[in-house]
Amino acid sequence: MPENEAEPEPEPWEYSLYIPNDLRAVTVSRRTLRLILTMHGLISLVDVAELLAAELVSNAVRNTKGPAALRVRWSVGVLRIGAWDADPEPPEPPRPLDQAADHEDGRGLALVRACADTWGWQPLSRHGNRGKYVWCELKAA
């Protein structure tokens, strides 16, 4: 390839993993995400992405009684990781990380806020079920 030609941007892709309300889903989600990112050559993002996905999925499973889903999307150098759950209530705002360390729970979104480039949430309906989608993004280095 000539020196002045830029490497083409990888094609966008997206995966969804539907999970039951079961704490074992956190491990399944982490391992699935690791495999997806490895297969797409995004190994440098795996460790942080696994941490973020585990926090989002854990919140979805622990704080709701219904099904959940992990969604992973790559587009234009940005990895978006999100978790859908069946509870339409907004997530509790994250505490500052230094304050969250003293509590038994409530650290998840503080970690997401600290490790992700950006994060947010939105109400979402899926297959007639109301809920929310909490997401975060990591930019490729």
Side-chain angles (χ1 to χ4, degrees), residues 57 66 84 126:
V57 171
W84 171 83
R126 190 174 208 92

Side-chain angles (χ1 to χ4, degrees), residues 44-67:
S44 64
L45 298 177
V46 168
D47 291 335
V48 174
E50 270 190 314
L51 171 68
L52 296 172
E55 294 301 335
L56 295 176
V57 171
S58 178
N59 284 346
V61 171
R62 287 182 182 181
N63 298 322
T64 67
K65 293 184 174 153

Side-chain angles (χ1 to χ4, degrees), residues 5-29:
E5 282 187 39
E7 197 170 306
E9 177 68 29
E11 290 292 317
W13 48 260
E14 182 175 321
Y15 295 86
S16 294
L17 176 65
Y18 297 93
I19 53 180
N21 189 285
D22 184 332
L23 284 176
R24 293 173 289 193
V26 176
T27 301
V28 171
S29 297

Side-chain angles (χ1 to χ4, degrees), residues 20-129:
N21 189 285
D22 184 332
L23 284 176
R24 293 173 289 193
V26 176
T27 301
V28 171
S29 297
R30 287 180 67 165
R31 290 182 180 166
T32 302
L33 177 63
R34 176 174 285 275
L35 180 60
I36 291 168
L37 295 179
T38 300
M39 297 302 293
H40 283 282
L42 297 170
I43 296 168
S44 64
L45 298 177
V46 168
D47 291 335
V48 174
E50 270 190 314
L51 171 68
L52 296 172
E55 294 301 335
L56 295 176
V57 171
S58 178
N59 284 346
V61 171
R62 287 182 182 181
N63 298 322
T64 67
K65 293 184 174 153
L70 172 68
R71 183 171 159 197
V72 183
R73 183 181 75 193
W74 172 262
S75 182
V76 195
V78 177
L79 179 69
R80 179 175 274 206
I81 303 164
W84 171 83
D85 66 51
D87 181 4
E89 292 300 313
E92 290 290 323
R95 298 182 185 110
L97 199 51
D98 59 344
Q99 292 176 12
D102 297 334
H103 292 64
E104 195 137 326
D105 59 2
R107 290 184 293 262
L109 285 180
L111 282 171
V112 169
R113 182 174 65 186
C115 295
D117 292 311
T118 187
W119 79 279
W121 79 277
Q122 62 200 53
L124 185 68
S125 291
R126 190 174 208 92
H127 306 297
N129 298 320

